[in-house]
Amino acid sequence: MTSGDPDAFGSPYRLLSTAVTPRPIAWVSSRGPAGENLAPYSFFNVVAVDPPVVMFAPVATAAAPKDTLTNAVETEAFVVNVVTRDLVEAMNASSATLDSAESEFAYAGVTPVEADRVDAPRVEEATVSFECELYDAHEVGGSTMVLGEVVRAHVDEDVLTAGRIDVDRLETVGRLAGNWYASTDDRFEIERPP
Ligand SMILES: Cc1cc2nc3c(=O)[nH]c(=O)nc-3n(C[C@H](O)[C@H](O)[C@H](O)COP(=O)(O)O)c2cc1C
């Protein structure tokens, strides 16, 4: 066993982003003054179920704050679209650094549809989307933890069995380190201890 401070294994980013894998990916759509915005965030998870709250975390860069963060705070709204195997190329394309006026929807070749309950677009091609109202935003070091309450969900009927999402039909994708991803192709079941 080799033990050390978090920066002993390359960098804290390298250590955490390779060990905390596969990470779910929030494909976050939002609206800004210049139009629609879409970007992936793998610092993402469920935080609460009553009320249902999810979080994602934009990491500060030397440049201006990420558009998704600015938009989510300004409009108090965003949509988390779930990344499935068929959309992974489009998700990756949408991470390009574009001018604020240029839409990542058009660049990635996906279709914006107006959300029902919040002031944001959702991705029409996504199998699952969650419309979120901003619940809170906390600065944590150089990141901001953006919390959103899920107020409406959209689920493609193709992945439903008896009205519930069927994990055998939903091929979600997780992020590994760098440019590597994992899908749920190799699934297995283990009984949980009492
Ligand atoms: C799979 C994937 C996951 C990402 N996760 C994050 C993340 O959790 N936090 C972050 O700040 N950037 C993350 N990025 C980078 C952002 O997507 C990228 O900076 C993007 O241009 C931000 O767009 P925006 O300014 O429109 O919000 C990720 C990129 C990819 C491809």
Side-chain angles (χ1 to χ4, degrees):
M1 180 70 72
T2 304
S3 309
D5 293 337
D7 56 6
F9 301 90
S11 67
Y13 174 80
R14 179 78 193 164
L15 174 71
L16 295 172
S17 67
T18 50
V20 184
T21 49
R23 283 191 305 286
I25 305 167
W27 201 13
V28 184
S29 43
S30 59
R31 173 162 295 119
E36 293 128 3
N37 198 87
L38 180 63
Y41 285 86
S42 69
F43 290 2
F44 162 59
N45 223 305
V46 175
V47 177
V49 289
D50 184 18
V53 173
V54 295
M55 64 74 66
F56 70 95
V59 178
T61 58
K66 299 201 178 188
D67 290 338
T68 304
L69 172 61
T70 305
N71 297 346
V73 169
E74 288 291 316
T75 62
E76 301 193 347
F78 58 90
V79 175
V80 170
N81 305 276
V82 169
V83 178
T84 45
R85 187 69 190 82
D86 53 324
L87 292 173
V88 76
E89 301 289 345
M91 175 282 294
N92 189 42
S94 75
S95 72
T97 308
L98 304 180
D99 196 84
S100 292
E102 202 180 337
S103 168
E104 288 95 355
F105 277 90
Y107 189 78
V110 289
T111 318
V113 185
E114 194 53 36
D116 296 343
R117 295 271 306 273
V118 303
D119 180 18
R122 64 183 174 88
V123 175
E124 184 174 43
E125 291 81 358
T127 309
V128 179
S129 300
F130 300 123
E131 296 187 15
C132 299
E133 283 175 0
L134 185 70
Y135 185 87
D136 214 338
H138 289 287
E139 281 184 27
V140 181
S143 296
T144 306
M145 183 169 69
V146 182
L147 298 151
E149 180 173 345
V150 178
V151 293
R152 191 157 174 82
H154 302 269
V155 181
D156 194 317
E157 281 165 12
D158 285 353
V159 298
L160 291 176
T161 299
R164 309 274 165 91
I165 293 181
D166 185 338
V167 79
D168 280 330
R169 298 187 181 186
L170 186 71
E171 213 182 352
T172 43
V173 169
R175 188 180 193 188
L176 301 174
N179 292 336
W180 287 91
Y181 296 88
S183 76
T184 55
D185 258 354
D186 179 24
R187 288 188 291 267
F188 50 90
E189 191 175 19
I190 310 176
E191 208 165 307
R192 194 168 164 166

